[in-house]
Amino acid sequence: MALMITDECINCDVCEPECPNHAIYMGEEHYDIHPDKCTECVGHFEEAQCVAICPVACIPVSPEHQESRETLMEKYLRLQAAG
């Protein structure tokens, strides 16, 4: 399950540097998340770092990108091999 950032984002800049996969970027109006790079921090941490640090709780699971923990781990391994 890739995460997404909603319109409630206040562009506080705390989530982007916390992402170990560099999946968070500044979009047209607020930060966004590349679903192909988001592993919800599986492989890096026990919990998604952006969710843990977000002061306005605007980072839910994207309903369009639901993945199992195993799939997220496979994505993590692919990203590590490519990086």
PDB file of all heavy atoms in Angstrom, residues 1-6 15 19 21-27 30-40 48 50-51 58-60 62 65 75:
ATOM      1  N   MET A   1       0.830  -1.170   0.000  1.00  0.00           N
ATOM      2  CA  MET A   1       0.000   0.000   0.000  1.00  0.00           C
ATOM      3  C   MET A   1       0.874   1.233   0.000  1.00  0.00           C
ATOM      4  O   MET A   1       1.568   1.471   0.960  1.00  0.00           O
ATOM      5  CB  MET A   1      -0.893   0.025   1.235  1.00  0.00           C
ATOM      6  CG  MET A   1      -1.866  -1.124   1.305  1.00  0.00           C
ATOM      7  SD  MET A   1      -2.755  -1.157   2.848  1.00  0.00           S
ATOM      8  CE  MET A   1      -1.563  -2.028   3.854  1.00  0.00           C
ATOM      9  N   ALA A   2       0.885   1.914  -1.064  1.00  0.00           N
ATOM     10  CA  ALA A   2       1.594   3.178  -1.086  1.00  0.00           C
ATOM     11  C   ALA A   2       0.758   4.208  -0.346  1.00  0.00           C
ATOM     12  O   ALA A   2      -0.463   4.129  -0.311  1.00  0.00           O
ATOM     13  CB  ALA A   2       1.846   3.620  -2.522  1.00  0.00           C
ATOM     14  N   LEU A   3       1.427   5.153   0.224  1.00  0.00           N
ATOM     15  CA  LEU A   3       0.751   6.236   0.928  1.00  0.00           C
ATOM     16  C   LEU A   3       0.460   7.366  -0.040  1.00  0.00           C
ATOM     17  O   LEU A   3       0.992   7.402  -1.151  1.00  0.00           O
ATOM     18  CB  LEU A   3       1.634   6.722   2.072  1.00  0.00           C
ATOM     19  CG  LEU A   3       1.972   5.664   3.123  1.00  0.00           C
ATOM     20  CD1 LEU A   3       3.036   6.182   4.067  1.00  0.00           C
ATOM     21  CD2 LEU A   3       0.730   5.247   3.877  1.00  0.00           C
ATOM     22  N   MET A   4      -0.366   8.281   0.386  1.00  0.00           N
ATOM     23  CA  MET A   4      -0.669   9.472  -0.394  1.00  0.00           C
ATOM     24  C   MET A   4      -0.754  10.666   0.557  1.00  0.00           C
ATOM     25  O   MET A   4      -0.960  10.495   1.750  1.00  0.00           O
ATOM     26  CB  MET A   4      -1.983   9.314  -1.154  1.00  0.00           C
ATOM     27  CG  MET A   4      -3.198   9.119  -0.260  1.00  0.00           C
ATOM     28  SD  MET A   4      -4.734   8.910  -1.150  1.00  0.00           S
ATOM     29  CE  MET A   4      -5.186  10.608  -1.448  1.00  0.00           C
ATOM     30  N   ILE A   5      -0.569  11.847   0.021  1.00  0.00           N
ATOM     31  CA  ILE A   5      -0.684  13.066   0.814  1.00  0.00           C
ATOM     32  C   ILE A   5      -1.925  13.802   0.337  1.00  0.00           C
ATOM     33  O   ILE A   5      -2.090  14.049  -0.849  1.00  0.00           O
ATOM     34  CB  ILE A   5       0.579  13.937   0.695  1.00  0.00           C
ATOM     35  CG1 ILE A   5       1.791  13.158   1.225  1.00  0.00           C
ATOM     36  CG2 ILE A   5       0.392  15.254   1.441  1.00  0.00           C
ATOM     37  CD1 ILE A   5       3.118  13.861   1.068  1.00  0.00           C
ATOM     38  N   THR A   6      -2.797  14.137   1.268  1.00  0.00           N
ATOM     39  CA  THR A   6      -4.068  14.770   0.928  1.00  0.00           C
ATOM     40  C   THR A   6      -3.940  16.296   0.853  1.00  0.00           C
ATOM     41  O   THR A   6      -2.899  16.879   1.180  1.00  0.00           O
ATOM     42  CB  THR A   6      -5.147  14.419   1.975  1.00  0.00           C
ATOM     43  OG1 THR A   6      -4.785  15.021   3.222  1.00  0.00           O
ATOM     44  CG2 THR A   6      -5.303  12.914   2.123  1.00  0.00           C
ATOM     45  N   CYS A  15       8.130  15.973   6.106  1.00  0.00           N
ATOM     46  CA  CYS A  15       8.041  14.590   5.615  1.00  0.00           C
ATOM     47  C   CYS A  15       9.096  14.261   4.564  1.00  0.00           C
ATOM     48  O   CYS A  15       9.669  13.163   4.568  1.00  0.00           O
ATOM     49  CB  CYS A  15       6.651  14.299   5.058  1.00  0.00           C
ATOM     50  SG  CYS A  15       6.177  15.303   3.631  1.00  0.00           S
ATOM     51  N   CYS A  19      11.832  10.507   4.210  1.00  0.00           N
ATOM     52  CA  CYS A  19      11.544   9.370   3.332  1.00  0.00           C
ATOM     53  C   CYS A  19      12.837   8.697   2.869  1.00  0.00           C
ATOM     54  O   CYS A  19      13.614   9.284   2.114  1.00  0.00           O
ATOM     55  CB  CYS A  19      10.737   9.819   2.124  1.00  0.00           C
ATOM     56  SG  CYS A  19      10.314   8.445   1.026  1.00  0.00           S
ATOM     57  N   ASN A  21      13.202   6.367   0.749  1.00  0.00           N
ATOM     58  CA  ASN A  21      13.144   5.985  -0.664  1.00  0.00           C
ATOM     59  C   ASN A  21      13.058   7.190  -1.600  1.00  0.00           C
ATOM     60  O   ASN A  21      12.930   7.019  -2.808  1.00  0.00           O
ATOM     61  CB  ASN A  21      11.937   5.069  -0.914  1.00  0.00           C
ATOM     62  CG  ASN A  21      12.075   3.764  -0.205  1.00  0.00           C
ATOM     63  OD1 ASN A  21      13.148   3.187  -0.128  1.00  0.00           O
ATOM     64  ND2 ASN A  21      10.969   3.267   0.346  1.00  0.00           N
ATOM     65  N   HIS A  22      13.105   8.384  -1.044  1.00  0.00           N
ATOM     66  CA  HIS A  22      12.998   9.617  -1.834  1.00  0.00           C
ATOM     67  C   HIS A  22      11.724   9.614  -2.676  1.00  0.00           C
ATOM     68  O   HIS A  22      11.730  10.044  -3.831  1.00  0.00           O
ATOM     69  CB  HIS A  22      14.235   9.821  -2.711  1.00  0.00           C
ATOM     70  CG  HIS A  22      15.511   9.750  -1.939  1.00  0.00           C
ATOM     71  ND1 HIS A  22      15.918  10.750  -1.097  1.00  0.00           N
ATOM     72  CD2 HIS A  22      16.446   8.767  -1.844  1.00  0.00           C
ATOM     73  CE1 HIS A  22      17.057  10.397  -0.526  1.00  0.00           C
ATOM     74  NE2 HIS A  22      17.395   9.198  -0.965  1.00  0.00           N
ATOM     75  N   ALA A  23      10.630   9.132  -2.089  1.00  0.00           N
ATOM     76  CA  ALA A  23       9.349   9.051  -2.786  1.00  0.00           C
ATOM     77  C   ALA A  23       8.533  10.324  -2.663  1.00  0.00           C
ATOM     78  O   ALA A  23       7.607  10.542  -3.433  1.00  0.00           O
ATOM     79  CB  ALA A  23       8.538   7.871  -2.247  1.00  0.00           C
ATOM     80  N   ILE A  24       8.861  11.174  -1.718  1.00  0.00           N
ATOM     81  CA  ILE A  24       8.084  12.395  -1.474  1.00  0.00           C
ATOM     82  C   ILE A  24       8.712  13.558  -2.231  1.00  0.00           C
ATOM     83  O   ILE A  24       9.929  13.747  -2.200  1.00  0.00           O
ATOM     84  CB  ILE A  24       8.000  12.701   0.032  1.00  0.00           C
ATOM     85  CG1 ILE A  24       7.311  11.534   0.752  1.00  0.00           C
ATOM     86  CG2 ILE A  24       7.266  14.015   0.279  1.00  0.00           C
ATOM     87  CD1 ILE A  24       7.294  11.653   2.262  1.00  0.00           C
ATOM     88  N   TYR A  25       7.874  14.314  -2.909  1.00  0.00           N
ATOM     89  CA  TYR A  25       8.348  15.448  -3.703  1.00  0.00           C
ATOM     90  C   TYR A  25       7.314  16.565  -3.649  1.00  0.00           C
ATOM     91  O   TYR A  25       6.145  16.329  -3.332  1.00  0.00           O
ATOM     92  CB  TYR A  25       8.604  15.034  -5.156  1.00  0.00           C
ATOM     93  CG  TYR A  25       7.350  14.609  -5.882  1.00  0.00           C
ATOM     94  CD1 TYR A  25       6.669  15.500  -6.709  1.00  0.00           C
ATOM     95  CD2 TYR A  25       6.818  13.329  -5.725  1.00  0.00           C
ATOM     96  CE1 TYR A  25       5.508  15.124  -7.365  1.00  0.00           C
ATOM     97  CE2 TYR A  25       5.662  12.941  -6.369  1.00  0.00           C
ATOM     98  CZ  TYR A  25       5.014  13.847  -7.195  1.00  0.00           C
ATOM     99  OH  TYR A  25       3.853  13.472  -7.834  1.00  0.00           O
ATOM    100  N   MET A  26       7.732  17.773  -3.974  1.00  0.00           N
ATOM    101  CA  MET A  26       6.811  18.906  -3.985  1.00  0.00           C
ATOM    102  C   MET A  26       5.995  18.853  -5.265  1.00  0.00           C
ATOM    103  O   MET A  26       6.548  18.884  -6.361  1.00  0.00           O
ATOM    104  CB  MET A  26       7.570  20.233  -3.897  1.00  0.00           C
ATOM    105  CG  MET A  26       6.662  21.453  -3.965  1.00  0.00           C
ATOM    106  SD  MET A  26       5.300  21.472  -2.778  1.00  0.00           S
ATOM    107  CE  MET A  26       6.126  22.050  -1.327  1.00  0.00           C
ATOM    108  N   GLY A  27       4.685  18.751  -5.117  1.00  0.00           N
ATOM    109  CA  GLY A  27       3.773  18.772  -6.258  1.00  0.00           C
ATOM    110  C   GLY A  27       3.384  20.199  -6.591  1.00  0.00           C
ATOM    111  O   GLY A  27       4.009  21.151  -6.118  1.00  0.00           O
ATOM    112  N   HIS A  30       0.943  20.902  -3.120  1.00  0.00           N
ATOM    113  CA  HIS A  30       1.435  20.364  -1.855  1.00  0.00           C
ATOM    114  C   HIS A  30       2.332  19.172  -2.165  1.00  0.00           C
ATOM    115  O   HIS A  30       2.498  18.798  -3.323  1.00  0.00           O
ATOM    116  CB  HIS A  30       0.274  19.966  -0.933  1.00  0.00           C
ATOM    117  CG  HIS A  30      -0.665  18.972  -1.531  1.00  0.00           C
ATOM    118  ND1 HIS A  30      -0.377  17.623  -1.649  1.00  0.00           N
ATOM    119  CD2 HIS A  30      -1.903  19.129  -2.061  1.00  0.00           C
ATOM    120  CE1 HIS A  30      -1.394  17.007  -2.219  1.00  0.00           C
ATOM    121  NE2 HIS A  30      -2.332  17.902  -2.482  1.00  0.00           N
ATOM    122  N   TYR A  31       2.906  18.603  -1.141  1.00  0.00           N
ATOM    123  CA  TYR A  31       3.766  17.447  -1.338  1.00  0.00           C
ATOM    124  C   TYR A  31       2.957  16.269  -1.870  1.00  0.00           C
ATOM    125  O   TYR A  31       1.770  16.131  -1.586  1.00  0.00           O
ATOM    126  CB  TYR A  31       4.464  17.057  -0.030  1.00  0.00           C
ATOM    127  CG  TYR A  31       5.655  17.919   0.259  1.00  0.00           C
ATOM    128  CD1 TYR A  31       5.538  19.045   1.067  1.00  0.00           C
ATOM    129  CD2 TYR A  31       6.902  17.623  -0.287  1.00  0.00           C
ATOM    130  CE1 TYR A  31       6.625  19.858   1.319  1.00  0.00           C
ATOM    131  CE2 TYR A  31       7.993  18.430  -0.034  1.00  0.00           C
ATOM    132  CZ  TYR A  31       7.853  19.542   0.763  1.00  0.00           C
ATOM    133  OH  TYR A  31       8.938  20.346   1.005  1.00  0.00           O
ATOM    134  N   ASP A  32       3.604  15.438  -2.658  1.00  0.00           N
ATOM    135  CA  ASP A  32       3.013  14.226  -3.209  1.00  0.00           C
ATOM    136  C   ASP A  32       3.968  13.064  -2.977  1.00  0.00           C
ATOM    137  O   ASP A  32       5.136  13.266  -2.610  1.00  0.00           O
ATOM    138  CB  ASP A  32       2.758  14.377  -4.713  1.00  0.00           C
ATOM    139  CG  ASP A  32       1.575  15.278  -5.021  1.00  0.00           C
ATOM    140  OD1 ASP A  32       0.520  15.106  -4.382  1.00  0.00           O
ATOM    141  OD2 ASP A  32       1.697  16.133  -5.915  1.00  0.00           O
ATOM    142  N   ILE A  33       3.480  11.849  -3.225  1.00  0.00           N
ATOM    143  CA  ILE A  33       4.279  10.640  -3.048  1.00  0.00           C
ATOM    144  C   ILE A  33       4.248   9.824  -4.335  1.00  0.00           C
ATOM    145  O   ILE A  33       3.173   9.540  -4.866  1.00  0.00           O
ATOM    146  CB  ILE A  33       3.748   9.782  -1.876  1.00  0.00           C
ATOM    147  CG1 ILE A  33       3.848  10.569  -0.570  1.00  0.00           C
ATOM    148  CG2 ILE A  33       4.510   8.464  -1.777  1.00  0.00           C
ATOM    149  CD1 ILE A  33       3.298   9.850   0.651  1.00  0.00           C
ATOM    150  N   HIS A  34       5.434   9.449  -4.834  1.00  0.00           N
ATOM    151  CA  HIS A  34       5.541   8.537  -5.976  1.00  0.00           C
ATOM    152  C   HIS A  34       5.161   7.141  -5.479  1.00  0.00           C
ATOM    153  O   HIS A  34       5.893   6.559  -4.682  1.00  0.00           O
ATOM    154  CB  HIS A  34       6.976   8.466  -6.510  1.00  0.00           C
ATOM    155  CG  HIS A  34       7.448   9.679  -7.208  1.00  0.00           C
ATOM    156  ND1 HIS A  34       7.005  10.043  -8.451  1.00  0.00           N
ATOM    157  CD2 HIS A  34       8.353  10.620  -6.843  1.00  0.00           C
ATOM    158  CE1 HIS A  34       7.615  11.157  -8.823  1.00  0.00           C
ATOM    159  NE2 HIS A  34       8.427  11.531  -7.861  1.00  0.00           N
ATOM    160  N   PRO A  35       4.034   6.580  -5.935  1.00  0.00           N
ATOM    161  CA  PRO A  35       3.634   5.256  -5.437  1.00  0.00           C
ATOM    162  C   PRO A  35       4.616   4.150  -5.812  1.00  0.00           C
ATOM    163  O   PRO A  35       4.737   3.160  -5.088  1.00  0.00           O
ATOM    164  CB  PRO A  35       2.260   5.026  -6.063  1.00  0.00           C
ATOM    165  CG  PRO A  35       2.159   5.990  -7.181  1.00  0.00           C
ATOM    166  CD  PRO A  35       3.065   7.138  -6.859  1.00  0.00           C
ATOM    167  N   ASP A  36       5.353   4.327  -6.905  1.00  0.00           N
ATOM    168  CA  ASP A  36       6.320   3.307  -7.313  1.00  0.00           C
ATOM    169  C   ASP A  36       7.542   3.263  -6.400  1.00  0.00           C
ATOM    170  O   ASP A  36       8.291   2.288  -6.409  1.00  0.00           O
ATOM    171  CB  ASP A  36       6.779   3.542  -8.747  1.00  0.00           C
ATOM    172  CG  ASP A  36       5.658   3.335  -9.752  1.00  0.00           C
ATOM    173  OD1 ASP A  36       4.661   2.663  -9.412  1.00  0.00           O
ATOM    174  OD2 ASP A  36       5.780   3.848 -10.877  1.00  0.00           O
ATOM    175  N   LYS A  37       7.741   4.311  -5.619  1.00  0.00           N
ATOM    176  CA  LYS A  37       8.887   4.367  -4.703  1.00  0.00           C
ATOM    177  C   LYS A  37       8.496   4.179  -3.247  1.00  0.00           C
ATOM    178  O   LYS A  37       9.357   3.935  -2.405  1.00  0.00           O
ATOM    179  CB  LYS A  37       9.607   5.709  -4.843  1.00  0.00           C
ATOM    180  CG  LYS A  37      10.299   5.908  -6.161  1.00  0.00           C
ATOM    181  CD  LYS A  37      11.021   7.237  -6.165  1.00  0.00           C
ATOM    182  CE  LYS A  37      11.778   7.482  -7.442  1.00  0.00           C
ATOM    183  NZ  LYS A  37      12.497   8.770  -7.396  1.00  0.00           N
ATOM    184  N   CYS A  38       7.216   4.314  -2.941  1.00  0.00           N
ATOM    185  CA  CYS A  38       6.760   4.235  -1.546  1.00  0.00           C
ATOM    186  C   CYS A  38       6.616   2.782  -1.105  1.00  0.00           C
ATOM    187  O   CYS A  38       5.866   2.012  -1.698  1.00  0.00           O
ATOM    188  CB  CYS A  38       5.431   4.961  -1.379  1.00  0.00           C
ATOM    189  SG  CYS A  38       4.786   4.878   0.306  1.00  0.00           S
ATOM    190  N   THR A  39       7.326   2.437  -0.042  1.00  0.00           N
ATOM    191  CA  THR A  39       7.205   1.105   0.564  1.00  0.00           C
ATOM    192  C   THR A  39       6.629   1.201   1.969  1.00  0.00           C
ATOM    193  O   THR A  39       6.690   0.243   2.720  1.00  0.00           O
ATOM    194  CB  THR A  39       8.580   0.405   0.646  1.00  0.00           C
ATOM    195  OG1 THR A  39       9.434   1.155   1.510  1.00  0.00           O
ATOM    196  CG2 THR A  39       9.209   0.241  -0.720  1.00  0.00           C
ATOM    197  N   GLU A  40       6.082   2.362   2.315  1.00  0.00           N
ATOM    198  CA  GLU A  40       5.618   2.632   3.680  1.00  0.00           C
ATOM    199  C   GLU A  40       6.731   2.371   4.686  1.00  0.00           C
ATOM    200  O   GLU A  40       6.497   1.975   5.812  1.00  0.00           O
ATOM    201  CB  GLU A  40       4.372   1.811   4.018  1.00  0.00           C
ATOM    202  CG  GLU A  40       3.175   2.178   3.199  1.00  0.00           C
ATOM    203  CD  GLU A  40       1.923   1.445   3.611  1.00  0.00           C
ATOM    204  OE1 GLU A  40       1.722   1.218   4.822  1.00  0.00           O
ATOM    205  OE2 GLU A  40       1.139   1.100   2.704  1.00  0.00           O
ATOM    206  N   ALA A  48       5.854   3.913   8.931  1.00  0.00           N
ATOM    207  CA  ALA A  48       6.115   4.944   7.924  1.00  0.00           C
ATOM    208  C   ALA A  48       6.549   6.229   8.622  1.00  0.00           C
ATOM    209  O   ALA A  48       5.815   6.774   9.447  1.00  0.00           O
ATOM    210  CB  ALA A  48       4.870   5.172   7.083  1.00  0.00           C
ATOM    211  N   CYS A  50       7.004   9.279   7.439  1.00  0.00           N
ATOM    212  CA  CYS A  50       6.243  10.484   7.111  1.00  0.00           C
ATOM    213  C   CYS A  50       4.950  10.551   7.914  1.00  0.00           C
ATOM    214  O   CYS A  50       4.562  11.619   8.378  1.00  0.00           O
ATOM    215  CB  CYS A  50       5.963  10.547   5.611  1.00  0.00           C
ATOM    216  SG  CYS A  50       4.998   9.176   4.947  1.00  0.00           S
ATOM    217  N   VAL A  51       4.293   9.406   8.089  1.00  0.00           N
ATOM    218  CA  VAL A  51       3.056   9.365   8.876  1.00  0.00           C
ATOM    219  C   VAL A  51       3.354   9.710  10.332  1.00  0.00           C
ATOM    220  O   VAL A  51       2.616  10.476  10.964  1.00  0.00           O
ATOM    221  CB  VAL A  51       2.377   7.984   8.765  1.00  0.00           C
ATOM    222  CG1 VAL A  51       1.191   7.882   9.707  1.00  0.00           C
ATOM    223  CG2 VAL A  51       1.954   7.712   7.322  1.00  0.00           C
ATOM    224  N   CYS A  58      -2.122  13.982   7.448  1.00  0.00           N
ATOM    225  CA  CYS A  58      -2.691  14.033   6.098  1.00  0.00           C
ATOM    226  C   CYS A  58      -2.083  12.988   5.164  1.00  0.00           C
ATOM    227  O   CYS A  58      -2.083  13.167   3.949  1.00  0.00           O
ATOM    228  CB  CYS A  58      -2.526  15.428   5.509  1.00  0.00           C
ATOM    229  SG  CYS A  58      -0.815  15.901   5.177  1.00  0.00           S
ATOM    230  N   ILE A  59      -1.551  11.881   5.725  1.00  0.00           N
ATOM    231  CA  ILE A  59      -0.892  10.869   4.901  1.00  0.00           C
ATOM    232  C   ILE A  59      -1.525   9.494   5.139  1.00  0.00           C
ATOM    233  O   ILE A  59      -1.007   8.678   5.896  1.00  0.00           O
ATOM    234  CB  ILE A  59       0.631  10.839   5.169  1.00  0.00           C
ATOM    235  CG1 ILE A  59       1.223  12.254   5.067  1.00  0.00           C
ATOM    236  CG2 ILE A  59       1.315   9.901   4.180  1.00  0.00           C
ATOM    237  CD1 ILE A  59       2.684  12.347   5.413  1.00  0.00           C
ATOM    238  N   PRO A  60      -2.656   9.239   4.467  1.00  0.00           N
ATOM    239  CA  PRO A  60      -3.293   7.922   4.586  1.00  0.00           C
ATOM    240  C   PRO A  60      -2.774   6.955   3.519  1.00  0.00           C
ATOM    241  O   PRO A  60      -2.019   7.342   2.622  1.00  0.00           O
ATOM    242  CB  PRO A  60      -4.766   8.246   4.331  1.00  0.00           C
ATOM    243  CG  PRO A  60      -4.708   9.353   3.320  1.00  0.00           C
ATOM    244  CD  PRO A  60      -3.502  10.179   3.736  1.00  0.00           C
ATOM    245  N   SER A  62      -3.109   5.041   0.177  1.00  0.00           N
ATOM    246  CA  SER A  62      -3.792   5.354  -1.071  1.00  0.00           C
ATOM    247  C   SER A  62      -4.708   4.206  -1.464  1.00  0.00           C
ATOM    248  O   SER A  62      -4.250   3.075  -1.617  1.00  0.00           O
ATOM    249  CB  SER A  62      -2.772   5.587  -2.193  1.00  0.00           C
ATOM    250  OG  SER A  62      -3.427   5.723  -3.426  1.00  0.00           O
ATOM    251  N   HIS A  65      -3.511   2.226  -4.525  1.00  0.00           N
ATOM    252  CA  HIS A  65      -2.244   1.495  -4.513  1.00  0.00           C
ATOM    253  C   HIS A  65      -2.140   0.610  -3.277  1.00  0.00           C
ATOM    254  O   HIS A  65      -1.206   0.748  -2.483  1.00  0.00           O
ATOM    255  CB  HIS A  65      -1.065   2.471  -4.560  1.00  0.00           C
ATOM    256  CG  HIS A  65      -1.047   3.308  -5.789  1.00  0.00           C
ATOM    257  ND1 HIS A  65      -1.560   4.583  -5.819  1.00  0.00           N
ATOM    258  CD2 HIS A  65      -0.619   3.042  -7.041  1.00  0.00           C
ATOM    259  CE1 HIS A  65      -1.429   5.069  -7.036  1.00  0.00           C
ATOM    260  NE2 HIS A  65      -0.866   4.155  -7.798  1.00  0.00           N
ATOM    261  N   LYS A  75       9.129  -4.602  -3.354  1.00  0.00           N
ATOM    262  CA  LYS A  75       9.406  -3.292  -3.936  1.00  0.00           C
ATOM    263  C   LYS A  75      10.662  -2.696  -3.306  1.00  0.00           C
ATOM    264  O   LYS A  75      11.523  -2.153  -4.002  1.00  0.00           O
ATOM    265  CB  LYS A  75       8.215  -2.344  -3.733  1.00  0.00           C
ATOM    266  CG  LYS A  75       8.373  -1.010  -4.441  1.00  0.00           C
ATOM    267  CD  LYS A  75       7.350   0.026  -4.036  1.00  0.00           C
ATOM    268  CE  LYS A  75       5.933  -0.357  -4.283  1.00  0.00           C
ATOM    269  NZ  LYS A  75       4.990   0.764  -3.999  1.00  0.00           N
TER     270      LYS A  75
END
